[in-house]
Structures are given as structure tokens and as C-alpha cells.
Amino acid sequence: MKIEFKKDFIERYSNLTSFDEFKEISLKPLPRTIRVNTLKSNVEEVKERLKDWDLKPLKFYDKGFAIEHKKKERRDIGNLREHFLGLFYIQEAASMLPPLILNPDKNDVVLDMAAAPGSKTTQMAAMMENEGLIVANEVKPNRIMPLGINLQRCGVVNTILTLHYGERMKGKFDKILLDAPCSGTGAIRKSLKTLQIYNTGMIKKLSYDQKKLIFNAFKLLKKDGTMVYSTCSLEPEENENVVNSLLENFDDAYLEKIKIDGLKTSDVVLDFEGKAFNSEIKKCLRIWPQDNDTEGFFVAKIRKNG
Ligand code: SAM
């Protein structure tokens, strides 16, 4: 496949970061990473069973590991028996951050508004030790099946599945994860196709949809509840702009500062195409692929003031 960065992409990203560094890392394969599923196993057992593989701990999460075959003969970790058994989940390192930041516990009723294929649902279920309740929602019928299979494989029993438009859901929740549908410009290393389909019109439409989702998510949050908004996009319109809209529309929405030991972060974008954003947005987390050799991610932690 011919890899081409479009002119409007280059222009936009050159204003946001060092484009050469971004381009260089974007063309390198992502390190393979796994998360040990503590509902079925533990770090010692997984290390013991995967003796032919090098497991290098992630700097910011003791259940996450970069994994490589010791003799460099295999890359197909998805074919390992331990994967089929649900002892670990193949999950990109940065994608482990939103559940860590939301930090659900055993007493919580949690909504995962855009859940398929379930990497973050299964991570949250493990953090909750299979107690409390998770409502894992997905809008696309063909994505419900892999979500269900992943929950089953990982031994998750505290989760119910719903098939609904997130923006129309009802209920009240202690914690909400909105890992929103996005352009995926932070995940170019996983899918170079993103570069082919990139256009700024599509970004505007996604931003409009993300605002509908975040507004409803915030309405479903109990007073004093916490919510996390995340995307694997690096577009200000899908990130800072969406969070800014929430702050403009809801007086009881507050941002909490995100700090993760061992993770390099970058400055958020505080003005874009002539619009200045609320300076509170500095509390959000923006990481570029070149910061930690991961996907790019944006995460906001939002509290509803009681
Ligand atoms: N959280 C998932 C994980 O970690 O495995 C990844 C979620 S993916 C970024 C976004 C998901 O949102 C997709 O599965 C997509 O089908 C779903 N989606 C798109 N529009 C939606 C909507 N209006 N309501 C709920 N889910 C939606």
C-alpha cells in the first residue's frame, strides 16, 4: 500500500507537533502489548506460561507488558493457548489508560457507552474484581458479537450488554467511560487506511456526533460521579473542542487533573482555527505516538459537581 500523507493533513499536523517526528514514528510498527487478565490469572502465571516470550513491563501499569518472541520467530500472540483461555488480552498500551484514569471499583455502577470490542470493558471488569455492575453498550449489531465473545473469554460476569445509540440512553451511573468513535488519527500505526480516508469534513461530522454522546453521557452521570472521555484521535476538534463544548453547556461539569507516573505527555491545544478553549482543558491528557512509542490518545476526566 502506498503511504501518503495528504496536504491538508500535513498542514494541520505541522501546526500541532513536530511533523517529522510524528511521521517517522507513524510509519514504524506498534510494539505488541498485552494486559494480564486478573480475573483468570496473574502476572507470575502468565510469565511462567509464556517462557518463550520476553515480557517487558509498561512504565505506567504493572498489568501491561510489551511482548516479543525471544527468538523473533513468532508474532502471532493471538494464537497462543493462553490468549484463547483469556489469561491475557491483546491491548495497545495507551488504550489501557482510560480505565486506569476512571478507576472503577467494586461498588460502582458503570456505563461503558461505546464498548466494542471490549478491551476497556474487560479491563474495568478486572479492576472491579467482577463485582458492581457494568452496562457495556454498542450501537453496531455486528460489533456486539465480538464484544460478547471477549467478555466470555475473559470470564467477565458483572456486565450486561446493550445495543443502543449512546446519545439516546437513559439511566444513572456512578462512573461512565465514553471511549468515543473517532477518526483514529492517533492509531495510524495500526491502520494506515486512516490516512487514505482522512478529510476535514469527516472530522467536523465526528466532532458533532461526539458532542451529542458526551452531552448525554454527562446527563446520565450521578451527582459527584466521574466520567472519562477518550479518543485515539489527535484532532483538536474531536478532543479539546468537544470537552470545551461540555464545559460551555453544563455549569456543573468540572475537569480533574490527570497525572500518570511514568508516562510522557504533551501540551493540550488551547486554541484552534480562531477559537480559544477554556484553560481548564490543560488538566486533560494528550499523548502523541512519539511521546511513549504508543498510539496517540486524548483523555479527559470529568466530575459532576454535587
Ligand atoms: N471502547 C472500545 C474498546 O476499548 O475496545 C473501543 C470503542 S471504539 C473507539 C468506538 C465504538 O463506538 C465503536 O465500536 C462504534 O461502533 C461505537 N459507536 C459508534 N457510534 C456510536 C453511538 N452513537 N453510540 C454508541 N456507540 C457508538
Side-chain angles (χ1 to χ4, degrees), residues 112-120 137-140 143 164-167 179-181 213:
D112 188 353
M113 191 179 254
S119 54
K120 298 179 190 70
N137 179 67
E138 169 58 47
V139 79
K140 292 190 183 145
R143 287 175 65 90
H164 216 314
Y165 287 97
E167 60 272 38
D179 187 39
L213 286 165

Side-chain angles (χ1 to χ4, degrees), residues 143-155:
R143 287 175 65 90
I144 278 278
M145 175 105 92
L147 173 58
I149 290 170
N150 281 332
L151 295 181
Q152 217 164 21
R153 187 173 55 81
C154 292

Side-chain angles (χ1 to χ4, degrees), residues 89 91 95 99 112-123 137-143 147 150 164-169 177-182 209 212-213 230-232 297:
Y89 196 104
Q91 184 172 353
S95 138
D112 188 353
M113 191 179 254
S119 54
K120 298 179 190 70
T121 319
T122 52
Q123 184 181 351
N137 179 67
E138 169 58 47
V139 79
K140 292 190 183 145
N142 64 345
R143 287 175 65 90
L147 173 58
N150 281 332
H164 216 314
Y165 287 97
E167 60 272 38
R168 295 192 203 155
M169 293 185 81
L177 174 64
L178 171 54
D179 187 39
C182 70
D209 293 344
K212 285 198 291 187
L213 286 165
S230 56
T231 73
C232 62
F297 244 83

Side-chain angles (χ1 to χ4, degrees), residues 17-26 264 289-291:
T17 187
S18 149
F19 188 74
D20 288 342
E21 275 182 47
F22 175 66
K23 183 176 173 184
E24 191 186 335
I25 193 102
S26 293
K264 184 173 175 231
Q290 64 268 31
D291 289 339

Side-chain angles (χ1 to χ4, degrees), residues 24-279:
E24 191 186 335
I25 193 102
S26 293
L27 300 177
K28 283 191 187 150
L30 263 176
R32 278 152 206 277
T33 49
I34 60 167
R35 172 177 51 80
V36 171
N37 175 22
T38 51
L39 293 178
K40 284 200 163 177
S41 186
N42 56 55
V43 170
E44 290 69 37
E45 187 195 15
V46 170
K47 278 186 170 168
E48 177 64 28
R49 292 182 68 133
L50 302 186
K51 279 211 173 92
D52 296 340
W53 300 75
D54 264 330
L55 267 69
K56 200 167 137 217
L58 300 182
K59 285 193 187 132
F60 59 87
Y61 188 29
D62 59 359
K63 311 287 183 299
F65 294 86
I67 180 168
E68 245 188 286
H69 192 253
K70 284 185 176 159
K71 294 187 189 155
K72 310 265 186 280
E73 285 167 357
R74 290 186 66 174
R75 293 166 63 81
D76 57 332
I77 39 179
N79 285 333
L80 295 175
R81 183 190 301 251
E82 289 73 14
H83 181 245
F84 288 120
L85 291 172
L87 308 191
F88 66 82
Y89 196 104
I90 302 170
Q91 184 172 353
E92 203 284 317
S95 138
M96 300 178 199
L97 290 167
L100 290 179
I101 291 164
L102 186 63
N103 196 22
D105 71 36
K106 291 175 174 189
N107 301 311
D108 286 329
V109 176
V110 179
L111 171 64
D112 188 353
M113 191 179 254
S119 54
K120 298 179 190 70
T121 319
T122 52
Q123 184 181 351
M124 291 196 291
M127 293 170 77
M128 294 163 77
E129 297 178 29
N130 248 342
E131 293 186 33
L133 176 73
I134 305 178
V135 176
N137 179 67
E138 169 58 47
V139 79
K140 292 190 183 145
N142 64 345
R143 287 175 65 90
I144 278 278
M145 175 105 92
L147 173 58
I149 290 170
N150 281 332
L151 295 181
Q152 217 164 21
R153 187 173 55 81
C154 292
V156 172
V157 294
N158 70 342
T159 299
I160 55 169
L161 296 184
T162 58
L163 178 65
H164 216 314
Y165 287 97
E167 60 272 38
R168 295 192 203 155
M169 293 185 81
K170 296 200 162 52
K172 279 286 168 214
F173 299 89
D174 301 303
K175 294 200 172 130
I176 298 179
L177 174 64
L178 171 54
D179 187 39
C182 70
S183 62
T185 58
I188 289 169
R189 302 174 75 183
K190 197 155 72 189
S191 171
L192 285 167
K193 233 174 129 189
T194 306
L195 288 175
Q196 281 180 329
I197 56 176
Y198 180 84
N199 72 77
T200 48
M202 173 188 84
I203 305 295
K204 286 205 167 19
K205 162 84 175 82
L206 280 164
S207 175
Y208 175 79
D209 293 344
Q210 288 153 345
K211 284 180 194 167
K212 285 198 291 187
L213 286 165
I214 201 174
F215 285 11
N216 194 39
F218 190 71
K219 286 179 193 156
L220 304 186
L221 197 58
K222 285 186 192 165
K223 282 191 173 144
D224 295 317
T226 309
M227 144 181 166
V228 158
Y229 173 80
S230 56
T231 73
C232 62
S233 164
L234 294 162
E235 293 286 326
E237 278 167 299
E238 297 183 71
N239 295 321
E240 289 88 347
N241 178 41
V242 171
V243 175
N244 191 65
S245 252
L246 181 80
L247 298 181
E248 277 178 350
N249 282 279
F250 295 87
D251 289 343
D252 49 351
Y254 287 83
L255 291 177
E256 290 194 357
K257 172 91 188 130
I258 300 175
K259 169 107 186 60
I260 305 273
D261 289 338
L263 188 77
K264 184 173 175 231
T265 59
S266 285
D267 289 344
V268 296
V269 178
L270 283 177
D271 58 86
F272 185 70
E273 292 188 335
K275 179 158 171 72
F277 300 138
N278 190 323
S279 62

